[in-house]
Amino acid sequence: MNSTYRKAVLFAVVSFMGLVIFLPASPALASDTLTSKRTEVMNIAHRGASGQAPENTIAAFDRSIAYDADFFELDVQMTKDGKLVLIHDTTVDRTTNGTGAVKDLTFDEIRALDAGSWFDASFAGEKVPTLEEALDRYQDKIGILIELKDPHLYPGIEQKVADALIERNLHQAENIIVQSFNWDVVQSFHDILPAVPTGVLVSSGQTIDGEITNEQLMSFSAYADFVNPNKSLLNQDTVNRIHEHELKTWPYTIKDRKWVERLMEWGVDGIITDYPIFVNTTASANNMKTLVERFEGKELTRDDAQDIKLHLSAISHYEQHDKGEKVVKHLNSLLALLDYQLDHHLLSKRAYDILQGEVHYLLEKW
Ligand code: G3P
Ligand code: CA
């Protein structure tokens, strides 16, 4: 950041609140605020905490625990030599430094790839995990929502997943759920292991005129416990009808607080999100610091992160003293700072969208 502008920012913040620069720095994950659940709604970290770490890696799964999610979701596919690996796309191109279809590569070939650097250099060396590794590492720590991804490419994958669960005595575990967009395969998995809860994923192309019908719900209820639709397919009536069919619903994929609140009002049972922090914490300047810490040194420089955190310390102080006028004043000043940082390429667009979304949300509250 231009040093004159930085000085002006610092002067404005410090002059509004003399002691703010002496406030203690927030801890790395602000675990005090992250451990308190906002509601009973289940918090499911999508592909791990994939807003804050490379999807479907140990780093993302570990972070879903750190951010106090109840479950993490993963995508399982099969290598050429029959290993169950965790990756979303049917090729390795987007999320690794390799190329080619998962089904055409051996496990050793996939295992040699870097699955972290595409997200951020600090995650270099992350590997594509296996389902077995995830089960062994997390079975006692957090629930696991297993998506059978594009199972038509991998005939018999449902039996292989069932075998992996049986080997670990997880075929009756309540905190393992198996879901897919391929409803036939969900039904087939249910026939193999009826005690394991199952879910049908529903995309807009699978509805009848944009609606999940009662006929579909009736059919799902014969073999599934969850109907997990794209969030845009839900409304109050559909949530009610899902519940009337004695099914639960965990919509996907939620990336902001407005959707979290809307879905909670409709009474969904869980929320599949890239940002578990949005589900189990209230919006506040303090919680925004944890987001800034995720971007710091990666998507914005430490100096620029520090400028944002100074504003947040001031806002947090006034929030605690219920001084709405001053909170609003500093939020607007923070918005101007974020705009400046974006315009001058000091902040990534992804980080900007998330942070300014939080600021607008807080402005509406005050
Ligand atoms: O769990 C729901 C969600 O993962 C489905 O969509 O494309 O992210 O696998 P996708
Ligand atoms: Ca998925």
Side-chain angles (χ1 to χ4, degrees), residues 4 14 16 83 91 154 157 164 187 189 205 210 214 225 239 252 275 280 282-284 296 306 318 324 354 362:
T4 311
V14 172
F16 275 122
K83 267 275 192 191
T91 73
Y154 314 106
I157 193 171
Q187 193 160 7
F189 181 86
N214 284 337
D225 306 276
V239 172
Y252 68 90
Y275 297 94
N280 58 18
T282 52
S284 72
E296 190 174 332
Q306 191 56 28
Y318 290 125
I354 291 164
L362 287 171

Side-chain angles (χ1 to χ4, degrees), residues 268-284:
V268 301
D269 306 284
I271 291 179
I272 300 177
T273 178
D274 291 351
Y275 297 94
I277 188 175
F278 288 161
V279 177
N280 58 18
T281 67
T282 52
S284 72

Side-chain angles (χ1 to χ4, degrees), residues 23-300:
L23 287 177
S26 58
L29 288 174
S31 56
D32 54 334
T33 53
L34 291 172
T35 47
S36 62
K37 293 278 189 259
R38 267 209 294 164
T39 71
E40 290 306 302
V41 75
M42 285 288 174
N43 187 349
I44 304 100
H46 179 237
R47 310 180 196 168
S50 59
Q52 299 176 284
E55 64 188 55
N56 280 311
T57 63
I58 296 297
F61 301 149
D62 280 355
R63 271 168 184 71
S64 59
I65 294 174
Y67 288 101
D68 203 29
D70 299 298
F71 276 72
F72 65 77
E73 187 254 10
L74 56 79
D75 300 287
V76 63
Q77 300 189 58
M78 196 153 68
T79 64
K80 187 179 177 183
D81 48 348
K83 267 275 192 191
L84 297 173
V85 286
L86 308 183
I87 187 165
H88 177 271
D89 298 1
T90 54
T91 73
V92 299
D93 301 17
R94 180 178 61 87
T95 56
T96 76
N97 59 344
T99 55
V102 174
K103 70 178 176 50
D104 295 334
L105 295 166
T106 64
F107 175 65
D108 286 347
E109 286 169 331
I110 288 184
R111 192 63 155 191
L113 302 175
D114 177 348
S117 293
W118 70 275
F119 187 86
D120 188 88
S122 62
F123 292 103
E126 283 294 325
K127 300 291 176 202
V128 173
T130 64
L131 178 66
E132 284 82 353
E133 284 168 342
L135 295 174
D136 290 339
R137 184 176 173 103
Y138 299 107
Q139 59 175 282
D140 298 327
K141 298 186 176 74
I142 186 168
I144 304 177
L145 175 60
I146 299 171
E147 179 181 348
L148 305 178
K149 177 60 81 187
D150 289 307
H152 63 284
L153 295 175
Y154 314 106
I157 193 171
E158 62 271 38
Q159 182 65 57
K160 286 200 79 126
V161 170
D163 291 343
L165 297 179
I166 293 165
E167 276 165 30
R168 290 161 181 79
N169 205 24
L170 291 171
H171 52 296
Q172 292 186 327
E174 282 181 7
N175 62 347
I176 305 273
I177 300 169
V178 173
Q179 64 172 3
S180 185
F181 286 105
N182 185 322
W183 303 341
D184 289 340
V185 168
V186 176
Q187 193 160 7
S188 156
F189 181 86
H190 175 74
D191 290 343
I192 299 168
L193 286 184
V196 173
T198 51
V200 290
L201 284 159
V202 185
S203 67
S204 46
Q206 293 173 293
T207 57
I208 309 295
D209 295 331
E211 189 169 280
I212 303 170
T213 65
N214 284 337
E215 289 70 27
Q216 286 178 318
L217 293 174
M218 183 87 78
S219 160
F220 298 154
S221 66
Y223 58 88
D225 306 276
F226 293 82
V227 177
N228 297 342
N230 184 301
K231 62 184 184 296
S232 64
L233 298 175
L234 284 186
N235 53 39
Q236 185 67 74
D237 172 63
T238 304
V239 172
N240 291 347
R241 288 188 298 108
I242 289 171
H243 287 160
E244 281 160 16
H245 285 80
E246 297 188 356
L247 293 157
K248 290 184 178 171
T249 186
W250 290 2
Y252 68 90
T253 300
I254 284 67
K255 302 183 186 206
D256 65 60
R257 287 188 186 278
K258 281 196 176 165
W259 267 105
V260 168
E261 300 216 334
R262 188 176 299 153
L263 293 166
M264 281 181 178
E265 275 170 27
W266 291 340
V268 301
D269 306 284
I271 291 179
I272 300 177
T273 178
D274 291 351
Y275 297 94
I277 188 175
F278 288 161
V279 177
N280 58 18
T281 67
T282 52
S284 72
N286 241 1
N287 289 337
M288 272 187 77
K289 280 187 189 170
T290 66
L291 291 171
V292 172
E293 280 156 7
R294 179 262 172 268
F295 300 128
E296 190 174 332
K298 298 161 194 159
E299 301 188 55
L300 79 172

Side-chain angles (χ1 to χ4, degrees), residues 301-327:
T301 68
R302 291 198 190 285
D303 280 348
D304 292 310
Q306 191 56 28
D307 291 339
I308 296 173
K309 286 204 244 179
L310 278 172
H311 281 75
L312 292 172
S313 291
I315 294 163
S316 177
H317 172 83
Y318 290 125
E319 277 178 342
Q320 281 162 29
H321 292 83
D322 213 22
K323 300 211 172 194
E325 209 176 300
K326 298 216 176 202
V327 171

